[in-house]
């Protein structure tokens, strides 16, 4: 793999390789774009089969964070870190503290937190070596409930666009995955009076949703074909693909899962079937909004209010999609890229004051 060539293609700023023999640390930190501010992105721990696989994942995820932050109106850029290792076997105090020291060497260009394979306790260990962590237990904590709150408001925006009314009362909503986000989303939806259908690979999670919210359970592979108003993917990526799109019997796809479209073309394929798609990096931004809030002295109410703003951002995306006659996933990218471009132009023209904003 020619790494610098890959970086050039999508304008990555920096890739840092980290190694510490005695703790076994092998990590890669990717900074995609810091036009809007320091790069933020969780650290993922995964048993990647090859270094190339880890680099590719880090690059892809960092770029996604740039767009997510830009569209959410945050003054943060996009980054991501990956640690090569098995989260069930390879964790140690030394590994996370060594990683924390590498994060610290970047002097605040990169701020990290939880992602797949990383717990709050791991973040706290990283944070014992650097102040450049978000979402530690001392700060904003678990972002899941705020992500779910943002998704709930995103669903309301979708209902407004698709059915002319943002009330979810009486609508049938099928949720894939009753984990952290799926559970909290189901709670909001149940309180609003929606009818729920739920699937998970773990029966205890399904039973909890059945008991607490009167949700109807279906087998994991059945969830795509249940007749419903909204299908909310809250488990895996790449589940909107050539196989699943023909099965869907919904009017809207809107949920928390990252990278829901297997390929870009599947955004257009949903549109062709008359299904409104809420771009994932717009609707699931509540998590990063929550972590970002913690960087300024955490205020839960302020974070929730900002996550509620996903409603208006989504409506704007749908408007761009209509005006420009482009699928909603492309409209979301356009919205994010325009904001980055705007701030880049400001930075090029107006000299910044000493950390107190712009001098006009
Ligand atoms: P989680 O691990 O708590 O929940 C995921 C659930 O999906 C689990 O209960 C799992 O058993 C279930 N699942 C796995 N495979 C499934 C399948 N084939 N069918 C049905 N269920 C299946 O994770 P989470 O924190 O709730 O995140 C859910 C999704 O939202 C992920 O894609 C995550 O990347 C994304 N996301 C989460 C946050 C956050 O703040 N937690 C923020 C942004 C995006």
């Amino acid at each position: 793999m020619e790494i610098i060539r890959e970086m050039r293609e999508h304008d990555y700023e920096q890739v840092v390789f980290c190694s510490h023999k005695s703790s076994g640390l092998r990590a890669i930190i990717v900074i995609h774009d810091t036009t809007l501010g320091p790069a933020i992105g969780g650290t993922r721990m995964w048993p990647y089969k090859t270094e190339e696989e880890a680099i590719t994942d880090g690059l892809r995820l960092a770029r996604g964070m740039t767009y997510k932050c830009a569209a959410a109106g945050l003054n943060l850029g996009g980054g991501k870190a990956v640690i090569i290792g098995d989260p069930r076997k390879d964790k140690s105090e030394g590994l996370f503290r060594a990683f924390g020291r590498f994060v610290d060497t970047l002097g605040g260009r990169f701020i990290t937190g939880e992602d797949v394979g990383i717990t709050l306790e791991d973040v706290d260990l990283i944070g014992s070596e650097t102040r450049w962590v978000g979402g530690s237990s001392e700060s904003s904590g678990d972002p899941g409930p705020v992500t779910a709150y943002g998704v709930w408001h995103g669903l309301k925006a979708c209902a407004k666009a698709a059915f002319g009314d943002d009330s979810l009362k009486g609508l049938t909503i099928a949720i894939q995955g009753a984990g952290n986000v799926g559970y909290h989303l189901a709670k909001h939806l149940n309180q609003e009076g929606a009818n729920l259908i739920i699937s998970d690979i773990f029966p205890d999670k399904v039973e909890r949703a059945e008991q607490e919210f009167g949700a109807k359970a279906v087998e994991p592979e059945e969830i795509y074909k249940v007749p419903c108003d909204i299908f909310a993917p809250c488990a895996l990526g790449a589940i909107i693909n050539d196989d699943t799109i023909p099965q869907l019997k919904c009017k809207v796809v809107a949920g928390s899962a990252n990278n829901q479209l297997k390929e870009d073309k599947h955004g257009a394929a949903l549109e062709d079937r008359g299904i409104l798609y809420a771009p994932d990096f717009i609707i699931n931004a509540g998590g990063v909004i929550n972590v970002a809030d913690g960087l300024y002295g955490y205020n839960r109410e302020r974070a929730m209010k900002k996550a509620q703003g996903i409603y208006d951002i989504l409506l704007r995306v749908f408007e761009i999609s209509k005006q420009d006659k482009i699928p909603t996933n492309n409209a979301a990218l356009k919205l994010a890229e325009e904001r980055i471009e705007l701030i880049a132009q400001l930075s090029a023209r107006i000299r910044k004051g000493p950390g107190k904003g712009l001098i006009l």
Side-chain angles (χ1 to χ4, degrees):
M1 178 181 198
E2 291 199 54
I3 298 170
I4 296 182
R5 201 167 75 180
E6 285 287 319
M7 289 172 71
R8 283 260 170 104
E9 192 174 333
H10 290 296
D11 226 357
Y12 288 87
E13 291 181 15
Q14 193 176 7
V15 176
V16 183
F17 293 87
C18 316
S19 166
H20 181 246
K21 204 170 170 185
S22 61
S23 67
L25 176 75
R26 287 180 297 155
I28 301 154
I29 299 171
V30 181
I31 295 178
H32 176 240
D33 189 307
T34 58
T35 306
L36 299 180
I40 194 166
T43 294
R44 178 167 290 197
M45 186 167 186
W46 194 254
Y48 295 102
K49 289 194 191 73
T50 62
E51 285 179 10
E52 187 167 331
E53 203 184 296
I55 297 166
T56 304
D57 208 26
L59 290 171
R60 182 180 61 88
L61 293 164
R63 186 160 160 253
M65 286 306 295
T66 298
Y67 296 129
K68 188 182 286 203
C69 292
L74 299 174
N75 292 320
L76 291 165
K80 203 82 183 182
V82 293
I83 296 177
I84 302 172
D86 187 334
R88 287 165 305 182
K89 293 197 304 227
D90 299 330
K91 287 187 179 181
S92 68
E93 179 184 356
L95 180 124
F96 288 116
R97 293 187 65 163
F99 178 67
R101 286 187 179 218
F102 282 111
V103 171
D104 204 58
T105 62
L106 292 166
R109 270 176 60 70
F110 175 65
I111 302 166
T112 197
E114 246 182 288
D115 196 65
V116 176
I118 298 286
T119 64
L120 217 52
E121 291 74 35
D122 304 333
V123 173
D124 287 347
L125 277 175
I126 298 167
S128 67
E129 295 291 341
T130 179
R131 54 188 279 233
W132 305 114
V133 290
S136 67
S137 58
E138 284 169 5
S139 166
S140 52
D142 175 13
V146 182
T147 302
Y149 186 75
V151 173
W152 174 39
H153 286 280
L155 255 60
K156 290 171 86 57
C158 292
K160 173 93 181 156
F163 313 122
D165 183 342
D166 67 11
S167 169
L168 302 171
K169 191 168 180 208
L171 295 189
T172 299
I173 300 171
I175 305 177
Q176 180 181 47
N180 195 358
V181 179
Y183 171 80
H184 286 100
L185 174 64
K187 196 180 216 172
H188 291 300
L189 297 175
N190 177 52
Q191 276 163 2
E192 202 183 335
N195 306 310
L196 300 180
I197 300 172
I198 209 133
S199 77
D200 199 289
I201 48 171
F202 290 110
D204 56 321
K205 297 197 177 186
V206 174
E207 276 160 29
R208 183 172 67 162
E210 282 181 300
Q211 279 161 15
E212 290 188 30
F213 313 128
K216 177 176 176 259
V218 295
E219 291 301 318
E221 62 280 7
E222 295 294 311
I223 196 80
Y224 304 108
K225 39 182 127 117
V226 291
C228 60
D229 297 295
I230 302 176
F231 169 48
C234 296
L236 311 165
I239 42 83
I240 301 296
N241 54 46
D242 291 342
D243 287 339
T244 58
I245 291 174
Q247 299 179 41
L248 295 173
K249 293 196 182 71
C250 59
K251 284 277 167 224
V252 173
V253 172
S256 75
N258 277 311
N259 304 316
Q260 290 170 33
L261 304 179
K262 186 163 185 196
E263 295 170 60
D264 277 355
K265 68 170 188 181
H266 293 122
L270 284 176
E271 192 179 69
D272 290 346
R273 281 218 45 210
I275 297 172
L276 181 69
Y277 172 61
D280 45 21
F281 70 82
I282 303 279
I283 194 169
N284 72 14
V288 73
I289 287 171
N290 194 54
V291 172
D293 195 278
L295 304 175
Y296 306 99
Y298 187 53
N299 179 322
R300 180 88 168 179
E301 221 173 282
R302 185 175 58 198
M304 302 284 267
K305 193 154 182 260
K306 189 138 179 103
Q308 197 171 332
I310 288 171
Y311 180 99
D312 289 321
I313 299 169
L314 264 183
L315 288 183
R316 177 78 193 115
V317 167
F318 297 150
E319 209 176 278
I320 296 172
S321 158
K322 233 185 209 165
Q323 267 168 13
D324 294 8
K325 300 189 173 41
I326 52 175
T328 55
N329 54 317
N330 294 339
L333 281 180
K334 186 173 178 201
L335 180 91
E337 277 166 354
E338 279 179 0
R339 179 160 180 259
I340 295 168
E341 185 53 31
L342 176 82
I343 305 299
Q345 281 176 15
L346 275 185
S347 306
R349 292 293 302 274
I350 309 171
R351 198 174 167 78
K352 217 174 175 212
K356 284 278 185 189
L358 301 177
I359 299 171
L360 297 170

